[in-house]
Every structure is written in structure tokens, then in C-alpha cells.
Amino acid sequence: LALYFHSGEREEKCIIEDIPKDTLVFGKYKIQSWDIHKQEFLESAPGLGMFVTVTTPSSEVLLSKLYGPQGTFSFTSHISGEHIICLQSNSTRLISFGGSKLRIHLDIRVGEHILDESVVQAKDKVDEVHDRLEHLIEQITHVSKEQSYEREREEKFRKTSEETNSNILWWAIVQTLILISIGIWQIKSLRDFFISKKLV
């Protein structure tokens, strides 16, 4: 997932990632600040930092740390589900003026280590093949975890559907029994009425 978004200073922005259990997640970001005079975003935002907070589906805080104007962060999920990743600049301004907007570039990789190409090129061919193989194994493991997680969700959905269908069936049976009981009661009441009036 690679994207960028605009934010005011000290404004918190969050994204939701559906992550399988025991999965490594890497994030990389860069802040650009808006220059009112040049009317463009500057390549760097000196003096600004970024608070990164990661919360699990059970509201447990996995990561809460202050980084610089650009940096990387990582965490490992302990449970599967929707994890909330929030970013907020640490501007010291008490008031955010109209021109003090930021552009935040964010790249999130789920279930894989990011290869440093410069390091790979510096090693010999055997090490390069070894690193590529490890990278491929990590990707296969991640795909396997994703499939297991999807199967788990599908099983939950199937159980919920079966329970719902079962409840509907029982409710239909109860309704039928109630209607039959009311019909029998009405017939008996009419019969008793006709007998009391000596119409039968």
C-alpha cells in the first residue's frame, strides 16, 4: 500500500489495515510542508516529527513512538483483524494556520522485509541469491497466512449464516404452530357459539 494524503499540523490521520495473525508489517513515511511564499510542498520538513500509533482490533497499543520528518517503523500482529495505524505531526504551534498544511507520503508493506537494493548489489552473487530466496520464502509464508486468515473468516461467516438459517427455520415452525393453534381455537369457539345458540 503506497499513498499520500494532506494533513494539518497536529491533525491525526488514521488508516485501517486488515492483517493476519503473526504478520510482520513495515511502514515508511516522509513529511513535506507547504511553503506559502513558493506555493509548493518542500521536499523536507525540518523540525517536524511524526507520532506513529498502532492499535490492534482488541484496542491494545502495539506501537506508540515519535519519529523524525521521515522514517520507518515496524510491528508484528499478535491477532488477526483490522489494525488502526495513526500518524500525527508533533508541531509545537498552538494554532494551525491555513497555510500550515502537510503532505504525508506513506508506504506500508504487509508480511515482508524490504530489501535494500544497495546492500544486495554490494554482496556477491551467492549472498544475493540467498537474500532473494529468503525474501521469496517470506512472501510465500505471508500468502499462506493470508489464505488461512481468509479461510478463518469464511468459516465464521458460514457458521453465522447457518445459525441465522436455523433461527429462521425455527421461527417459521413456531409461527405455523401459532397459526394452527389460533385456527383450532377459532373453530372450537365458533362451534361452541353455534351450539349455545342452538344453531347446530
Side-chain angles (χ1 to χ4, degrees):
L1 171 67
L3 53 89
Y4 77 85
F5 51 87
H6 293 155
S7 171
E9 291 188 16
R10 304 181 71 171
E11 180 184 359
E12 186 178 55
K13 293 282 187 177
C14 298
I15 64 167
I16 297 173
E17 276 288 319
D18 204 355
I19 303 169
K21 183 181 177 182
D22 297 326
T23 301
L24 183 64
V25 179
F26 274 96
K28 185 177 181 181
Y29 72 88
K30 180 177 76 171
I31 310 173
Q32 292 178 302
S33 58
W34 178 254
D35 188 296
I36 299 176
H37 305 295
K38 294 182 179 179
Q39 289 293 300
E40 63 181 7
F41 285 100
L42 300 178
E43 274 308 304
S44 63
L48 277 178
M50 185 68 73
F51 283 109
V52 179
T53 308
V54 179
T55 310
T56 68
S58 59
S59 299
E60 176 194 354
V61 177
L62 269 185
L63 175 68
S64 181
K65 191 173 177 182
L66 174 63
Y67 296 88
Q70 61 181 0
T72 59
F73 60 90
S74 65
F75 64 91
T76 302
S77 60
H78 302 305
I79 58 174
S80 56
E82 293 183 340
H83 289 63
I84 302 172
I85 303 169
C86 295
L87 297 96
Q88 182 181 28
S89 70
N90 70 333
S91 172
T92 54
R93 298 187 192 188
L94 295 177
I95 300 173
S96 182
F97 296 100
S100 60
K101 60 182 175 180
L102 306 172
R103 176 184 283 171
I104 301 168
H105 298 261
L106 179 63
D107 184 12
I108 292 179
R109 306 284 179 91
V110 178
E112 62 178 272
H113 288 289
I114 299 171
L115 286 176
D116 188 338
E117 292 298 330
S118 62
V119 173
V120 171
Q121 288 171 6
K123 294 181 179 180
D124 59 26
K125 292 293 180 183
V126 175
D127 285 343
E128 182 180 345
V129 170
H130 181 264
D131 288 344
R132 299 274 179 194
L133 188 59
E134 281 190 348
H135 186 64
L136 183 60
I137 289 169
E138 284 178 358
Q139 287 181 318
I140 291 169
T141 305
H142 172 62
V143 169
S144 176
K145 284 179 182 176
E146 283 277 4
Q147 287 177 335
S148 298
Y149 180 47
E150 289 302 323
R151 277 196 297 270
E152 194 179 303
R153 290 178 63 182
E154 191 179 326
E155 181 69 18
K156 271 187 196 173
F157 180 74
R158 188 179 63 78
K159 282 182 181 176
T160 304
S161 298
E162 285 176 357
E163 285 173 7
T164 304
N165 289 337
S166 176
N167 291 337
I168 290 170
L169 176 63
W170 281 110
W171 177 240
I173 291 170
V174 168
Q175 280 183 317
T176 304
L177 290 173
I178 289 170
L179 287 171
I180 290 170
S181 301
I182 291 171
I184 292 170
W185 176 78
Q186 284 180 332
I187 290 169
K188 186 177 180 303
S189 298
L190 281 171
R191 185 171 170 275
D192 292 344
F193 174 77
F194 290 145
I195 288 172
S196 66
K197 297 294 183 181
K198 296 181 180 180
L199 296 173
V200 176

